Amino acid sequence: KGGTIKRFMEHMNPKSARVVALDKPTETERAQWYFQRYVKELPKSGEITLWDRSWYNRATVERVMGFADMGEVALFLEHSALMEVLWKESGIRLTKFWLDVSKKEQARRFKEREHNPLKLGKLSPIDRVSQEKWDEYTEAEIDILNNTDRWVKVKSDCKRSARIACMQYVLLNNDYAGKRLDNIGEIDKSILENL
């Protein structure tokens, strides 16, 4: 996620584009409406906001790691679908990429992070147990994709191809001055699936 966002941001004006990467919720935030901490970070008119982890943590990491129970997850899925309709009706354009990595490739990346001193900070305690909880994460993914809409699923074993496909998708699906289709190219359909 972070690498894809970095590739987007290096070509964007920081005055009109920003990254939101929220930390785990504080005690105060845990006592509030779940979406409250996210709503205040929504883009202003004319602004682009890229989310490095979003509200969907509730239905993935929080679910699998036991930070949220299934009742909270069900309520979240119901509310998130409604929130996204409201945001869309308010003029917010939402593009949701699901970066899909195989279990084998994830294991390889984690092993590399463990042994590369420049990447040690990229491996969290939660990452370390994710391979053991692969089946639970897969169930969470199926629930999210079946209960919410407008996802773009990107096969991400090859980071470069996935990043290019994400950028192409955004460029092709938004209007802007100077848009030239011949400069964007065609998206590799074997990498990107519009759900």
Side-chain angles (χ1 to χ4, degrees):
K1 299 171 305 305
T4 301
I5 290 170
K6 179 181 176 185
R7 296 326 180 277
F8 270 95
M9 288 300 294
E10 66 190 9
H11 301 287
M12 298 176 82
N13 184 340
K15 293 179 182 176
S16 60
R18 65 188 172 96
V19 177
V20 175
L22 298 179
D23 228 346
K24 67 180 184 179
T26 64
E27 287 299 320
T28 302
E29 289 171 329
R30 273 190 274 250
Q32 296 171 340
W33 174 52
Y34 184 78
F35 285 96
Q36 194 162 340
R37 66 194 300 246
Y38 296 100
V39 169
K40 67 182 179 182
E41 299 291 346
L42 290 173
K44 297 165 185 63
S45 179
E47 183 181 53
I48 296 170
T49 304
L50 301 169
W51 295 79
D52 193 343
R53 297 204 183 266
S54 72
W55 46 94
Y56 281 99
N57 267 359
R58 167 60 46 109
T60 53
V61 176
E62 291 182 31
R63 168 187 171 166
V64 172
M65 299 306 294
F67 305 140
D69 63 40
M70 289 308 288
E72 291 170 316
V73 171
L75 186 63
F76 163 80
L77 289 171
E78 182 182 329
H79 286 182
S80 65
L82 176 61
M83 291 301 301
E84 290 177 11
V85 168
L86 295 173
W87 295 338
K88 184 179 177 184
E89 288 176 356
S90 299
I92 294 174
R93 295 194 58 156
L94 184 64
T95 302
K96 301 185 304 188
F97 290 112
W98 186 277
L99 302 180
D100 196 40
V101 179
S102 68
K103 186 175 184 180
K104 181 179 177 182
E105 177 60 15
Q106 185 189 59
R108 187 199 67 74
R109 290 178 188 178
F110 286 172
K111 187 173 183 177
E112 178 186 357
R113 289 174 185 177
E114 286 177 345
H115 297 96
N116 183 337
L118 299 175
K119 295 187 177 188
L120 282 176
K122 294 183 77 175
L123 193 61
S124 74
I126 288 176
D127 290 334
R128 294 179 194 279
V129 298
S130 63
Q131 283 276 296
E132 298 164 22
K133 295 186 176 283
W134 187 266
D135 292 340
E136 291 94 328
Y137 274 108
T138 301
E139 288 174 22
E141 173 189 352
I142 291 166
D143 282 350
I144 288 171
L145 297 179
N146 286 339
N147 290 292
T148 59
D149 64 355
R150 298 192 313 267
W151 284 95
V152 179
K153 192 170 183 179
V154 184
K155 292 180 183 170
S156 300
D157 279 2
C158 174
K159 291 180 182 182
R160 183 176 187 277
S161 298
R163 291 169 180 165
I164 290 170
C166 289
M167 287 186 206
Q168 287 175 311
Y169 184 88
V170 169
L171 293 171
L172 288 169
N173 287 282
N174 290 283
D175 293 324
Y176 53 91
K179 182 174 181 175
R180 291 190 42 205
L181 298 179
D182 56 324
N183 284 342
I184 299 169
E186 286 188 38
I187 297 174
D188 184 341
K189 301 285 193 246
S190 69
I191 295 172
L192 193 142
E193 179 185 354
N194 202 359
L195 302 175

